[in-house]
Amino acid sequence: MLNAARANLYVLMAFVVLAGGGSSGWASALSHQLMILGLLLVVLSLQWDARKRVQRTPLDKPLLAAVALAAVSTLFSSSTAVSLRALWELALPLAVFFLAIQTTRNREDLRGLVYLVLLLGGAVALAGLTGLSPHGNPLWRDNAVRQHGRLTSVFFNPDHAGAFLEMAIPLCLGFLFTGIPRAKKTGAVFLLLAMLSALVLTLSRGAWISALAGLCFFWAVSLKRGLSRLQKSLLFASIAGVLFLALLAASTPATLRILSFEEATEMPGFRIRARVWAAALGMFADNPWTGTGPGTFGIMFAQYQPGFAFRFLEAHNDYIDFLAETGIFFVPIL
């Protein structure tokens, strides 16, 4: 039974990334159906085998507190229907986390989960790179068209593609340092190069900074544990490669045209976002205890938004967004 739950988790994770990243309607509905099936399989597995227990993690209490805060905020929400929908969406990542913890019981299970993430990272990178070709990628062509040449891959937003890649890249590096056979090492190097290239071409400055920070942290930890000269060289080359390619991509005429288009249309650059953050904090100041309710930022912010042609449905800063929607008690939970 637990093997079935694990297989369901793998299908759910793959579907959320490859289909859910670029759409929200049918993909969301099917994702939640897979979520419910996975939870039922885990519960049945725990009931079937009395020797199995629910595995605990240090994140259990903070996550439960966050759910409780979101529920309380929903009771006082400016739009209960919208907040209930947001709670339902929140259930999906929490369920994926729970399923991953409960179905990963040994080293072999963990290895399978790592393989899945690396394969998804490679799929995202290759889908994005082929999407930038003259003929495009027929499966996700609309995503690339909307973003004016930035690599989007399977996601609607190139920043989301960058965020997924910057999380998968350190995992791929760690996988390379585990003493795997040469054939798997060759495949992992190929995936790493593809993901690094795709990350740069998303033109996502936040993803670049996060990737560099993660790789530098990886470097600092690895120095204490001790790596071979080859492993250190590979890690250093990854850091230098991201930095060099990011600087190179940021200076190309194509990138300058994209950035100038964003400025001309008042799409969210840093200066505009800073003004939005200030206005969002004003929104929080008017609703300090329970916020405006989960998922209501796009509705309520219309009363606070500065005079931009571009309408903001989120704060483009998760911390400020959650603070405005759920109130001051989000801070100690964080």
Side-chain angles (χ1 to χ4, degrees):
M1 191 71 72
L2 198 61
N3 289 335
R6 189 179 305 109
N8 181 85
L9 171 65
Y10 292 173
V11 172
L12 174 59
M13 290 176 62
F15 183 80
V16 166
V17 172
L18 299 179
S23 61
S24 58
W26 65 272
S28 176
L30 187 53
S31 297
H32 282 83
Q33 292 172 14
L34 290 171
M35 174 193 78
I36 294 172
L37 176 60
L39 293 174
L40 286 174
L41 288 172
V42 168
V43 171
L44 290 175
S45 174
L46 294 175
Q47 293 294 325
W48 188 273
D49 189 347
R51 294 172 299 176
K52 289 187 174 67
R53 295 289 185 269
V54 175
Q55 300 192 116
R56 308 289 183 182
T57 75
L59 289 176
D60 290 347
K61 291 182 179 179
L63 289 177
L64 288 174
V67 171
L69 175 62
V72 171
S73 181
T74 298
L75 294 177
F76 299 94
S77 173
S78 56
S79 176
T80 304
V82 171
S83 292
L84 287 173
R85 170 74 183 188
L87 282 179
W88 183 236
E89 294 296 332
L90 175 64
L92 183 59
L94 293 176
V96 170
F97 174 77
F98 176 79
L99 291 173
I101 296 299
Q102 302 309 319
T103 59
T104 305
R105 305 245 165 189
N106 52 53
R107 193 176 185 85
E108 189 66 28
D109 297 340
L110 181 60
R111 187 179 294 111
L113 194 59
V114 171
Y115 286 163
L116 175 64
V117 175
L118 294 183
L119 289 174
L120 288 176
V124 168
L126 294 177
L129 293 172
T130 56
L132 293 179
S133 67
H135 300 289
N137 188 317
L139 295 177
W140 295 282
R141 181 182 291 121
D142 290 344
N143 293 349
V145 170
R146 293 190 190 101
Q147 295 299 333
H148 310 281
R150 295 177 65 187
L151 185 144
T152 57
S153 185
V154 301
F155 296 89
F156 175 79
N157 190 321
D159 295 326
H160 296 170
F164 183 85
L165 291 169
E166 60 92 2
M167 290 188 292
I169 286 170
L171 185 63
C172 188
L173 271 174
F175 181 67
L176 278 169
F177 296 167
T178 57
I180 56 177
R182 178 172 296 181
K184 291 184 178 180
K185 187 172 294 185
T186 301
V189 170
F190 173 77
L191 289 178
L192 179 62
L193 292 174
M195 288 190 286
L196 286 171
S197 301
L199 172 66
V200 171
L201 293 173
T202 62
L203 301 182
S204 175
R205 290 162 292 189
W208 292 350
I209 294 171
S210 298
L212 287 172
L215 290 172
C216 289
F217 177 78
F218 197 108
W219 173 269
V221 172
S222 64
L223 289 179
K224 290 186 176 182
R225 295 193 173 186
L227 295 176
S228 68
R229 181 175 299 177
L230 177 61
Q231 291 173 335
K232 290 179 181 179
S233 299
L234 182 60
L235 181 54
F236 179 77
S238 299
I239 296 173
V242 171
L243 185 58
F244 173 76
L245 292 176
L247 292 174
L248 183 64
S251 62
T252 61
T255 304
L256 295 176
R257 284 197 298 271
I258 292 171
L259 296 178
S260 63
F261 172 83
E262 291 184 352
E263 291 176 358
T265 56
E266 295 192 359
M267 292 180 70
F270 179 79
R271 287 178 294 179
I272 294 178
R273 290 185 184 185
R275 293 177 61 187
V276 170
W277 298 338
L281 290 175
M283 177 172 149
F284 157 72
D286 290 342
N287 306 273
W289 301 113
T290 59
T292 60
T296 60
F297 186 93
I299 299 173
M300 298 301 295
F301 190 65
Q303 305 173 30
Y304 301 86
Q305 177 171 317
F308 300 138
F310 186 88
R311 181 187 175 191
F312 282 82
L313 300 179
E314 58 274 324
H316 290 276
N317 183 309
D318 288 341
Y319 304 107
I320 295 177
D321 207 327
F322 293 149
L323 186 66
E325 290 187 351
T326 59
I328 190 63
F329 295 105
F330 166 73
V331 175
I333 293 175
L334 179 66

